[in-house]
Amino acid sequence: MDESNKRKTYTSELRNRQKEQTRDLIMESVTSIIAEGRIHNFSVQDVADRAGISYGSMYRHFSTREALLESLFAWSDEKLLSQVQIIPKTLDEIPETTQKKMVALEDYPEHAIATVRTLTAMNIIPESVLAKDEKFHKIITGELPSLDTDFARQAASVIRYLSSSVFWMHLTTRFGFGPDEYSSAVTWALETLIKDLKARNEEQS
């Protein structure tokens, strides 16, 4: 590689790192604002001020408040759960992946709770959430083909909720569950449901 290409590559990598650092700073700032209870009454300018960047820089990343909020969930997944396998490949993997996810969320509770509360309050359903919903549905219909179609959809929805960040937040903030308690409770609930679904599938096959 000649010197010109080396400089271009270095410059490109530097810009990408700077862009990622700015994005992280923005997300951290909006998280702290939401944690203060300001879900509905903050602006893009408020986030820029909190992050210590210009409105122009902020606008290049997120031109609207809605775009900012929709990106919050994906960023949280990426940063909070990057070391954890949270998408099961089989029905039997669901309890274990859910437990790992919930324990990982405990390391960053402010971020996780702020994200969940924002999505709920603003009625935002990111594409990544819909994709996970579909993944759970495909697992159940694929492994339990004899279940009634409507019942399989209902079962997938319940299992998906039990494995979600929303359910984790309810257990921790409403009921005061700690890691051992919610891990045990969720594992028991999911294993019980999966066992029942397998039995129903056998009966109907």
Side-chain angles (χ1 to χ4, degrees), residues 3 12 14 17 44 46 54 56 60 66 74 78 83 114 124 164 171 194:
E3 288 301 319
S12 177
L14 180 61
R17 285 198 301 270
V44 172
D46 290 333
S54 69
R60 282 194 292 274
E66 288 69 27
E78 175 188 332
Q83 305 302 316
I124 296 172
S164 70
L171 290 179
I194 291 170

Side-chain angles (χ1 to χ4, degrees), residues 95 162 181-195:
L162 292 176
E181 290 177 299
Y182 61 64
S183 294
S184 176
V186 169
T187 299
W188 164 76
L190 289 171
E191 288 179 346
T192 300
L193 280 172
I194 291 170
K195 182 178 179 181

Side-chain angles (χ1 to χ4, degrees), residues 86-154:
I86 60 172
I87 305 298
K89 297 178 181 178
T90 67
L91 197 59
D92 289 333
E93 286 183 2
I94 292 175
E96 182 181 0
T97 57
T98 298
Q99 182 185 41
K100 288 181 178 179
K101 171 185 176 179
M102 292 189 170
V103 170
L105 289 172
E106 192 68 28
D107 291 335
Y108 305 90
E110 181 181 90
H111 293 76
I113 291 173
T115 300
V116 173
R117 284 179 173 165
T118 301
L119 296 179
T120 302
M122 305 301 294
N123 195 29
I124 296 172
I125 306 177
E127 289 296 324
S128 58
V129 171
L130 296 175
K132 290 173 187 175
D133 292 346
E134 182 61 23
K135 175 66 174 179
F136 274 68
H137 184 256
K138 286 183 177 180
I139 288 174
I140 289 177
T141 55
E143 293 190 33
L144 308 173
S146 297
L147 291 180
D148 174 76
T149 302
D150 289 337
F151 181 76
R153 178 182 58 81
Q154 294 166 11

Side-chain angles (χ1 to χ4, degrees), residues 5 22 29-30 33 46 57 60 67 69 82 86 99 103 114-115 148 160 173 182-183:
N5 286 334
T22 301
S29 298
V30 74
I33 289 173
D46 290 333
S57 295
R60 282 194 292 274
L69 293 174
S82 60
I86 60 172
Q99 182 185 41
V103 170
T115 300
D148 174 76
R160 177 74 177 103
T173 62
Y182 61 64
S183 294

